[in-house]
Amino acid sequence: MSVYQVKDGVKNLIKPGEKLITTHCCYCGMQCGMHIRVNEKSGKVVGVEPRYDWPVTNGKMCPKGVTAYQTIDHKERIKTPLIKKNGQFVEATWKEALDLIEENYKRLQREHGKDALSVFGGVSMTNEKCYLVGKYARAVLGTRYIDYNGRFCMSSAAGGFMKTFGIDRGSTLPWPELEHTDCFFMAGTNTAECHPTSIQWLWKAKDKGAKLIVADPREVPTARVADVHLDLKPGTDSALANGMMHLLIKEGYVDEAYVAERCNNYEELKDSVRKYTPKYTSEITGVVEEKIIKAAHIFGQSPKSVVMFARGVEQQTKGVDNVALYSSMALLRGQVGKFASGVATFTGQGNGQGGREHGQKADALPGYRKINDPEAVKYISGVWGIDPSEMPKEGVSAYEMFDEIQRGKIRAMHVICSNPAVSAPNTEYIWDGFKKLDFMVVSDFFLSETAEFADVVLPATSWAEDEGTTTNLEGRVIRIRKVVEPIGESKPDWEIFKMIAERMGKGHLFPYNNAREIFKEFRIASKGGKADYYGITWERIEKEDGVFWPCPSEDHPGTPTMFKEKFGTPDGKANLAVVKWQEPGEIPTPEYPHILTTGRVVFHYLSGSQTRRVDFLMEQCPLPYVEMHPELASQYNLLNGDKVKLTTKRSHMELEVRLTKAIRKDTIFVPYHWGKELAVNQLTNPALDPTSRMPEFKVCSVKIEKI
């Protein structure tokens, strides 16, 4: 007989011998609350229940979250270490795998120096593990070459926020306040598919009369309910933002008192945007003047507004500028630091916020300290127990590490919780780099496209087999709870780092027995930094249902709303962005006459390494496709379902056509969740933003041929 267990004030059906364990989803930055259903006798996961009292998502879950538990005990999980022999993987013991790693790491550093080794991290891990990736690379391996997959995801948002606000936190306000917002300006974000559980706040606000403006080359689902859809040409966001600010100033919508008191560069901004009239802005963006004018009036007249954006804005060679300009729109209206108002980016990966704050970036140390700051090096060296002279110098960004492989400087790489063989641009260059390495290690729980290149694959635990914290898209630090014991011989990443540290003679630097001990050191490492977690404890997270950073002491309430009184800059004022529009890295030519842009679909996540192993999700979207306007298709005599060959300066691929009027006539769209010959990133442009080093995934020129 079944019984009910009351959890979150609702009844959840529990069969005899079952229990519910409260945790969060493993996918995007929403970190939706959930209860994992576990059979107490077998210890196996048997289902999932929504968590209705989680304040960010209120019991909402997307198709990925509902099926996430199915990857935990999946038949394709890596359960033992794998060693490649004669081109084939064979099962091995941990001792054999670690012997091989120790032998090759020591040999390569002896022959080529410490920087012969490199580490490529990821942000689908807990804060504790992300923190240790940096310590592992710098204190154990002694290499300057460390970066992470957030370089392909959140780095432009980080750069733009640092440039404008002086602190990089993805949202300046807590998500539940969005219900009370009067106007949403959403740019380059397919929110309904990429962060669907956030849409409830938009609906609640619209029920109260809120307006919606969407800037996107495609009529994404969110745009279909917008008051204004600004269907701009890919790569023209900075022109659009400048055009909006031109009208805000001209029409008297600027909060002059706020700007005078709290912002720099206002006079320079006015001069910079003077030429961005609706006519000039329309010529660049392709958006008709009337839409631009209407959007400016709606945004300018709204008492409480939020500017929101995602990868469509950020994955460009001018991504940092785009973020700074869109943020400046909110500053002109005096909205940052106020209730139900401000700026937010939709974080792509589960711990995309926390994972970039504490040492995985080539130029950063824990707490968002800079590695070229002697005082920061001195402090972190003291926390780690090393001499400051042992701290490596700044490295290079994720994509640029593959340039260093080609130059022979990097001879080995340890890839952790990441799949750059699919997620990086110009993937054939990445594949060639992996082949050129003398030695390669991958830690993962599935044999990803990246793992296939490895010499050693180490079986890591899934998100449900260890505990720790993550930081969601609001900046709220939350708890991930252990649901089941590790499958097979898999081990948490922190334990893997510890074993390698012991082999490298650095075991004393990794004395941890559990994630809680790591968090205690991590708090100290972040203390006094821009991303200060020192006042956050696991006990507080449990009691308060998450704590917002910065939180410098245990009696500090945390910071749900950023910048109420001052910004994170030296003078406490925000820096309005004075930036002119520039063309993207590639523009259409007679040989490559159209624009290719990329993105997600609701049924898959990033490189698809997990979601492509869930039957239901694959049934809904088994293959990538190319989306194009019927008028563009008619130029090539294409019908729905026909096959085409897409060619850029880098490579080519073949895809099925999907016709839709919900896209610009000069633009085609391809989702990016598949690998090998189906990886659209073999086509994309590796041109980098000069500040964030973000590749330009969202704009490249392409040729179309009917097959």
Side-chain angles (χ1 to χ4, degrees), residues 505-579:
K506 303 284 186 176
H508 61 286
L509 300 180
F510 277 65
Y512 323 105
N513 296 300
N514 52 58
R516 187 180 289 267
E517 292 179 3
I518 300 167
F519 189 76
K520 289 180 179 178
E521 179 181 296
F522 161 63
R523 289 175 57 212
I524 297 170
S526 76
K527 184 178 182 180
K530 286 184 179 291
D532 192 335
Y533 283 42
Y534 181 69
I536 303 174
T537 64
W538 282 19
E539 291 75 20
R540 281 194 65 182
I541 295 171
E542 296 280 3
K543 182 180 178 181
E544 301 170 34
D545 229 346
V547 182
F548 289 84
W549 74 266
C551 183
S553 64
E554 290 189 41
D555 59 357
H556 189 281
T559 315
T561 302
M562 295 289 285
F563 314 126
K564 282 185 175 182
E565 298 176 358
K566 64 179 182 178
F567 292 92
T569 55
D571 65 1
K573 292 186 177 184
N575 296 312
L576 293 167
V578 181
V579 180

Side-chain angles (χ1 to χ4, degrees), residues 160 168 210 332 460 540:
D168 162 35
L332 287 186
R540 281 194 65 182

